[in-house]
Amino acid sequence: MTELNRTVAVAPMLDWTDRHCRYFHRLISPQTLLYTEMITAPAILRGDRKKVLDFSAAENPVALQLGGSDPQALAECARIAEDLGYQEINLNVGCPSDRVQKGRFGACLMKEPELVADCIDAMQNATVLPVTVKSRIGVDDQEGYDQFRHFIDAVAAAGCNTFIVHARKAWLQGLSPKQNRTVPELKYDYVYRLKKERPELTIQINGGINDVAAVESHLQQTDGVMIGRAVWNAPWLLYDIDTFLQRADVNKNRDTVLSAYQAYCEEMLLGSVNLHWMIRPILGLFHGLPGNKKWKSYLVTESPRRPKDVSVITEARAFVHTIDTNPNRHKETTEGVL
Ligand SMILES: Cc1cc2nc3c(=O)[nH]c(=O)nc-3n(C[C@H](O)[C@H](O)[C@H](O)COP(=O)(O)O)c2cc1C
């Protein structure tokens, strides 16, 4: 099955894919590529570097997503990231927020392919890590496929050979970042066509991929899939995808993952972080199962009251009426009995 070598990634999501979320996703799936939230070059070079970049080697493989457009500053960040053990550097050319536009980075860089090429060139000279780009298919009045391919070609000419494409354009005026993730229509055919016309490039697709069937279908046409909101809402999807890719650990289930995450929380709670921050990525763990609603509401109400008490998670778990939540394991057991 050719899909086995394809990349599956969890999308960078500001305020969501922090180190705790990544640690949790890694417990579910050993091979899925994980991304940091977008971190701007000035935040790394002039801010609290430890705070923004600190992560655990157990989260790897992790790609650091950078926001910026100053080639030398980005190159310096790439060097720092390599020293810290990140495994890929990704440049954000997709974020449409006003703040990001004022800083002349994110999606507005779709209009400046030469500048993006300079950034890639500088970063590649500074690190041995792969340097990749996450882009849109266009911005504002960039309607056609040709402009999109022109952008990709210009950046590829600087040596970038991996592109993750959020398959909708962004409206830089008038739509919020949230609307820019739903309003402009998805055009998967642009990404498929790009892969056909530029087979030498690694092309991964992003946007609206919500289940295993969609993953399977996109992997027929591209080199990888990146999933954002669907994983946040139902993180066990990562396990289902691993099952489809024939790489899931059959001894794993939601409970084994949860106990490992609880142990991690206990350790983290010794520092300054509080439980209510760390429960956010696990809220969707029992998505679709009986008791899910109570599990979530107990965690949300109880964790701020008892910010250092990890047993809140055990108490919440009691609301979910399922013993072994791994369908593969169940199947195995049944087959074993038969
Ligand atoms: C809360 C949130 C924060 C996001 N932050 C980033 C970000 O920091 N960098 C980025 O490239 N995209 C960001 N995105 C966009 C996602 O990476 C992804 O491209 C988008 O959600 C479409 O994928 P999906 O339909 O699978 O969610 C964010 C999306 C969400 C929902």
Side-chain angles (χ1 to χ4, degrees), residues 1 7 37 41 46 82 98 112 127 135 151 162 164-165 173 177-178 184 188 196 202 204 215 219-220 246 252 283 331:
M1 193 166 67
T7 302
E37 314 160 79
R46 299 201 290 272
E82 181 183 323
D98 286 347
E112 299 194 72
T127 177
S135 77
F151 170 83
T162 301
I164 303 101
V165 185
Q173 307 295 329
K178 192 169 178 192
Y188 294 136
K196 275 209 184 84
T202 299
Q204 298 165 20
V215 169
L219 289 183
Q220 316 282 337
Q246 299 173 11
K252 193 175 281 188
L283 289 175
K331 200 169 130 220

Side-chain angles (χ1 to χ4, degrees), residues 11-14 16 38 65 92 134 166 181 206-208 228-229:
M13 291 181 282
L14 210 54
W16 289 8
M38 178 184 70
Q65 190 189 57
N92 182 325
K134 177 168 182 274
H166 182 178
R181 286 177 217 127
N206 166 244
R229 289 161 291 183

